Amino acid sequence: GAGVSQSPRYKVAKRGQDVALRCDPISGHVSLFWYQQALGQGPEFLTYFQNEAQLDKSGLPSDRFFAERPEGSVSTLKIQRTQQEDSAVYLCASSSPQRGGTDTQYFGPGTRLTVL
Amino acid sequence: QKEVEQNSGPLSVPEGAIASLNCTYSDRGSQSFFWYRQYSGKSPELIMSIYSNGDKEDGRFTAQLNKASQYVSLLIRDSQPSDSATYLCAVKSNSGYALNFGKGTSLLVTP
């Protein structure tokens, strides 16, 4: 595909439900990132994969959040026992690593999660 | 906490004027700097990247970087109503992988 794709685009969950959000990165992109964007805020980093390896998960807000990328391409962000404070747009980005950290991250359209 | 600060605005400029958007950052180890544009309800879209001190021009956009002052800015010349959006400043350190974003500046270009 031409860009990063995410599904579903919108998700409504009842408090306590588990949700799974999918990201399809740009073909060939080694690096994959998940960000959370609350209303009126900038995106905040959640986790980073290089191929299938999760190299940084320091931004995951709690142990209810789990991400995987088992084959180094598609990634899934799972949120267990959703809470109202989890309501946000979840953005996935991918990039191809460059020397000196000059790689550009390209964002998908995001999944808007609303927890009732 | 590595911080990226932006004035949230809204910044209102008339059509045809120059819009000036500013950003400061706290991490002196930062090496890569990006400006993203985000329309309401849409995902961030890269406008400019800059890595060295000085100016970098691309069409109507100029990014300016001053690492000594820990300051990066974006100038938009001949502003158009279609430029109305939130502009996000993002900073990446040499030691990390992730982008650290500011809260964004809302720009309104009035006809």
Side-chain angles (χ1 to χ4, degrees), chain B residues 44-55:
Chain B
E45 171 194 12
L46 182 70
I47 297 296
M48 292 281 290
S49 59
I50 187 166
Y51 310 107
S52 305
N53 279 329
D55 295 0

Side-chain angles (χ1 to χ4, degrees), chain B residues 15-37:
Chain B
E15 184 174 357
I18 296 175
S20 177
L21 304 162
N22 305 313
C23 172
T24 59
Y25 59 94
S26 63
D27 181 11
R28 285 199 171 273
S30 300
Q31 295 294 326
S32 305
F33 307 86
F34 305 86
W35 284 99
Y36 283 83
R37 177 176 64 198

Side-chain angles (χ1 to χ4, degrees), chain B:
Chain B
Q1 177 75 11
K2 299 174 182 176
E3 295 190 348
V4 178
E5 300 286 345
Q6 295 182 256
N7 188 324
S8 61
L11 173 65
S12 183
V13 300
E15 184 174 357
I18 296 175
S20 177
L21 304 162
N22 305 313
C23 172
T24 59
Y25 59 94
S26 63
D27 181 11
R28 285 199 171 273
S30 300
Q31 295 294 326
S32 305
F33 307 86
F34 305 86
W35 284 99
Y36 283 83
R37 177 176 64 198
Q38 188 172 31
Y39 292 113
S40 181
K42 302 294 185 182
S43 60
E45 171 194 12
L46 182 70
I47 297 296
M48 292 281 290
S49 59
I50 187 166
Y51 310 107
S52 305
N53 279 329
D55 295 0
K56 179 182 178 183
E57 186 174 320
D58 183 1
R60 296 186 295 113
F61 299 94
T62 298
Q64 299 174 317
L65 175 61
N66 184 326
K67 290 185 179 180
S69 301
Q70 297 174 243
Y71 176 92
V72 58
S73 66
L74 179 70
L75 300 178
I76 307 174
R77 288 181 299 281
D78 188 24
S79 295
Q80 302 296 309
S82 59
D83 294 327
S84 299
T86 295
Y87 289 80
L88 297 164
C89 173
V91 175
K92 183 173 177 292
S93 76
N94 234 12
S95 60
Y97 306 104
L99 293 175
N100 192 13
F101 284 88
K103 291 184 178 181
T105 297
S106 175
L107 173 66
L108 177 64
V109 181
T110 55

Side-chain angles (χ1 to χ4, degrees), chain A residues 31-93:
Chain A
S31 299
L32 186 146
F33 304 81
W34 284 98
Y35 292 85
Q36 180 191 60
Q37 187 173 24
L39 193 63
Q41 304 295 314
E44 294 207 358
F45 169 74
L46 294 177
T47 188
Y48 164 65
F49 289 87
Q50 188 173 94
N51 294 306
E52 68 279 2
Q54 189 175 21
L55 298 187
D56 189 345
K57 54 181 181 179
S58 62
L60 295 177
S62 78
D63 58 8
R64 296 186 296 104
F65 287 70
F66 172 77
E68 61 183 4
R69 194 186 184 197
E71 296 178 359
S73 55
V74 171
S75 177
T76 303
L77 176 66
K78 297 179 180 177
I79 309 174
Q80 297 176 323
R81 304 181 304 281
T82 52
Q83 304 295 314
Q84 285 189 322
E85 62 261 30
D86 300 334
S87 296
V89 175
Y90 291 85
L91 294 165
C92 177

